Amino acid sequence: MLTRWLVVLLALLPAVALADVHEFKLANGLKVVVQEDHRSPVVVSQVWYKAGSIDEFNGTTGVAHVLEHMMFKGTKKVPAGQFSRIIAAAGGKENAFTGSDYTVYFQQLEKSNLPLAFRLEADRMANLQLTSGEFSKEIRVVMEERRWRTEDKPQAQVYEQFQSAAYQVHPYGRPVIGWMNDLEHMTVADARAWYHRWYAPNNATLVVVGDVDPQQVLKLAQQYFGPIKPQALPLRKPQAEPEQKGERRVTVKAPAKLPYLLMGYHVPALQDAEHDWEPYALEILAGVLDGNASARLNQNLVRRDQIAIEVSAGYDLTQRGGLSMFLVDGSPSDGRSVDDLEYALQDEIGRVKEDGVTDEELLRVKAQVIAADVYQRDSMFYQAMQIGKLESTGLSWKFLKDYPARLQAVTPAQVQAVARKYLNDDNLTVAVLDPQPMDESKPKHQEVPHAHR
């Protein structure tokens, strides 16, 4: 039964992934990828800039995220705060987010309003007004966001310190939101320099998914984005992280109710979709450990032995920097210590390295991974996210065509091989939350919604 289910999913996935995808490129270098989805009269429009925290310089960490906020602060045609109001008045939704590898702006609208999204995005791509007054207000919002999202969140503090320890040279070690000292000393000139350095059509991908005619989308893109001039982009130099040659440990003391453990191993990201096999094996390995309720970590450590109240494993194979981390984390059960949990996690990893995985287990994980992808693609927004992320991390949306076959080709020996090669102590960084007494009388920072006014 499981084999037949997997065969059905493998047959379905390419049809879902590549249903009517069209790729264009404007004369100014803007790439346009359109995926037709005619199930409802809705369109998702996303502009992906290949500019994230990986491109920042020391002293201006967080500037990519700050500029994301400033992109809502107006042009000559659209005053500050009006962008979001115009989209809302048209019955749409919009927002933006910044990552290590990219910054993304998106709208979801009734299909007849696609020209509106294009007009607004093209205007701020070329004509953003960066004023000292708006910057001074927004930088305070960003600092409050950092306090709420990181400094008031013990596990977020652990992750931030973990990244800094794991990546000692590569910019992935810097927080996307930036270090507070850099935010405190940032100027509007820093944001302006970032905007002029990276915000150009030849450094962007426009992704449109929905009930659209690709040729009409191309015509609209040429109308609104076509007149924007390309610009010379800075040379991106290779940034390699030196080989780790010994275990690294970090302890974070912060007010919290429960201890927390985060373990990570340096592993490669996908760079050659046709010839690389290790990233696919690592993705399957993550599924073996934490694919669902019956996966090894949950089954053995949470249910059977009750060492952990929660535990997970994860790996992201799409990273522009060419590097990734294989992460395992969790919180120990009452009466158990972080050391108990770490020992148990190491034991589960050791079992994979020593005994490998069974064919039946591998088949189940493959079916689950592919099924999750099929179900997620029922969302237009998710489809656009997949395309944009692949295009912005050096791959191509065409990767989706071969993705299920690449996963299906992974063997038990390959899963065991990547576990043995990468999940070793000399390649390990461990971060631990040592919970301190909580002061309930201390005021918490107010949640900062990711809205732009």
Side-chain angles (χ1 to χ4, degrees):
M1 174 66 75
L2 186 61
T3 303
R4 186 171 68 184
W5 183 38
L6 181 57
V7 169
V8 171
L9 288 170
L10 286 170
L12 174 63
L13 188 55
V16 175
L18 294 178
D20 301 313
V21 179
H22 306 262
E23 178 181 319
F24 311 101
K25 197 160 192 176
L26 304 191
N28 60 10
L30 178 70
K31 179 178 280 191
V32 183
V33 182
V34 184
Q35 178 165 327
E36 296 179 66
D37 188 326
H38 300 289
R39 291 173 296 170
S40 62
V42 175
V43 63
V44 173
S45 176
Q46 299 178 347
V47 175
W48 292 68
Y49 292 95
K50 193 180 291 186
S53 63
I54 190 177
D55 303 297
E56 294 170 350
F57 304 127
N58 287 337
T60 58
T61 63
V63 68
H65 176 245
V66 170
L67 196 280
E68 174 217 311
H69 278 244
M70 293 302 298
M71 283 285 279
F72 292 83
K73 298 306 171 183
T75 66
K76 288 183 178 180
K77 295 180 180 179
V78 181
Q82 287 301 308
F83 187 107
S84 300
R85 293 188 180 98
I86 292 170
I87 294 295
K93 300 176 182 178
E94 53 72 44
N95 217 318
F97 59 90
T98 305
S100 298
D101 297 326
Y102 40 71
T103 306
V104 188
Y105 303 86
F106 60 87
Q107 299 83 40
Q108 182 167 319
L109 294 152
E110 194 276 329
K111 65 177 184 179
S112 66
N113 287 313
L114 183 60
L116 173 65
F118 278 17
R119 175 173 63 82
L120 293 171
E121 284 292 4
D123 182 34
R124 65 180 176 179
M125 178 186 283
N127 304 310
L128 185 66
Q129 290 189 316
L130 288 158
T131 67
S132 297
E134 289 293 341
F135 179 85
S136 65
K137 290 187 292 185
E138 202 62 28
I139 195 67
R140 290 195 292 271
V141 173
V142 174
M143 287 190 284
E144 186 63 21
E145 184 178 344
R146 178 185 162 80
R147 293 185 188 100
W148 182 79
R149 294 185 184 278
T150 301
E151 295 174 7
D152 281 353
K153 299 289 192 295
Q155 290 191 12
Q157 293 181 48
V158 171
Y159 182 76
E160 186 173 86
Q161 292 301 312
F162 168 85
Q163 288 288 101
S164 295
Y167 292 106
Q168 298 190 338
V169 173
H170 197 277
Y172 279 162
R174 300 192 292 249
V176 172
I177 201 166
W179 297 114
M180 184 62 85
N181 183 67
D182 288 347
L183 296 176
E184 290 171 343
H185 293 90
M186 193 170 294
T187 68
V188 68
D190 295 321
R192 192 175 291 121
W194 183 264
Y195 176 69
H196 290 303
R197 183 179 297 121
W198 297 117
Y199 277 54
N202 49 317
N203 193 46
T205 301
L206 173 62
V207 181
V208 176
V209 176
D211 187 16
V212 294
D213 177 340
Q215 292 299 322
Q216 186 62 29
V217 173
L218 174 60
K219 183 178 178 180
L220 288 172
Q222 290 171 331
Q223 177 184 347
Y224 290 104
F225 292 94
I228 304 174
K229 293 181 180 180
Q231 64 186 44
L233 299 172
L235 176 66
R236 300 181 196 262
K237 295 183 179 181
Q239 300 182 85
E241 177 71 19
E243 180 184 359
Q244 185 171 331
K245 296 183 178 180
E247 183 180 292
R248 300 170 185 166
R249 289 189 172 266
V250 175
T251 299
V252 175
K253 293 185 176 182
K257 294 181 180 179
L258 296 171
Y260 172 68
L261 171 71
L262 175 59
M263 302 165 53
Y265 304 85
H266 289 284
V267 291
L270 184 66
Q271 294 183 284
D272 186 334
E274 184 176 352
H275 298 103
D276 289 349
W277 63 268
E278 288 184 334
Y280 301 105
L282 286 163
E283 188 162 3
I284 294 295
L285 174 58
V288 168
L289 295 175
D290 183 35
N292 63 5
S294 64
R296 291 191 181 195
L297 296 185
N298 189 71
Q299 187 70 27
N300 297 340
L301 303 191
V302 178
R303 295 186 174 187
R304 186 190 69 192
D305 300 334
Q306 298 183 350
I307 294 173
I309 57 173
E310 59 181 4
V311 66
S312 65
Y315 163 70
D316 187 350
L317 57 72
T318 52
Q319 299 276 98
R320 178 155 62 91
L323 311 173
S324 192
M325 298 291 294
F326 192 95
L327 300 175
V328 185
D329 72 332
S331 291
S333 300
D334 189 33
R336 294 284 194 162
S337 68
V338 166
D339 289 342
D340 293 336
L341 178 55
E342 182 180 347
Y343 180 84
L345 288 169
Q346 291 277 26
D347 186 58
E348 291 296 329
I349 291 170
R351 285 178 53 218
V352 176
K353 294 163 71 173
E354 184 69 25
D355 304 325
V357 297
T358 66
D359 289 329
E360 182 181 358
E361 186 176 30
L362 199 63
L363 187 63
R364 184 178 69 251
V365 170
K366 290 175 180 178
Q368 290 163 349
V369 170
I370 294 170
D373 208 36
V374 169
Y375 298 146
Q376 285 178 306
R377 289 182 189 172
D378 193 48
S379 161
M380 290 185 188
F381 187 81
Y382 178 78
Q383 293 176 57
M385 285 289 297
Q386 276 194 317
I387 293 170
K389 186 175 182 182
L390 289 168
E391 292 290 337
S392 300
T393 53
L395 298 170
S396 166
W397 60 267
K398 297 173 184 176
F399 157 84
L400 296 170
K401 177 182 178 181
D402 297 323
Y403 174 70
R406 299 291 181 189
L407 288 181
Q408 176 64 3
V410 173
T411 67
Q414 288 177 325
V415 175
Q416 186 177 27
V418 293
R420 287 178 171 177
K421 181 176 180 179
Y422 295 109
L423 307 194
N424 60 74
D425 288 347
D426 286 344
N427 190 37
L428 171 64
T429 300
V430 180
V432 173
L433 171 62
D434 181 0
Q436 303 297 299
M438 299 181 69
D439 184 357
E440 298 296 340
S441 65
K442 184 178 179 181
K444 295 292 184 182
H445 293 103
Q446 189 173 9
E447 178 178 354
V448 179
H450 207 86
H452 305 278
R453 298 180 177 87

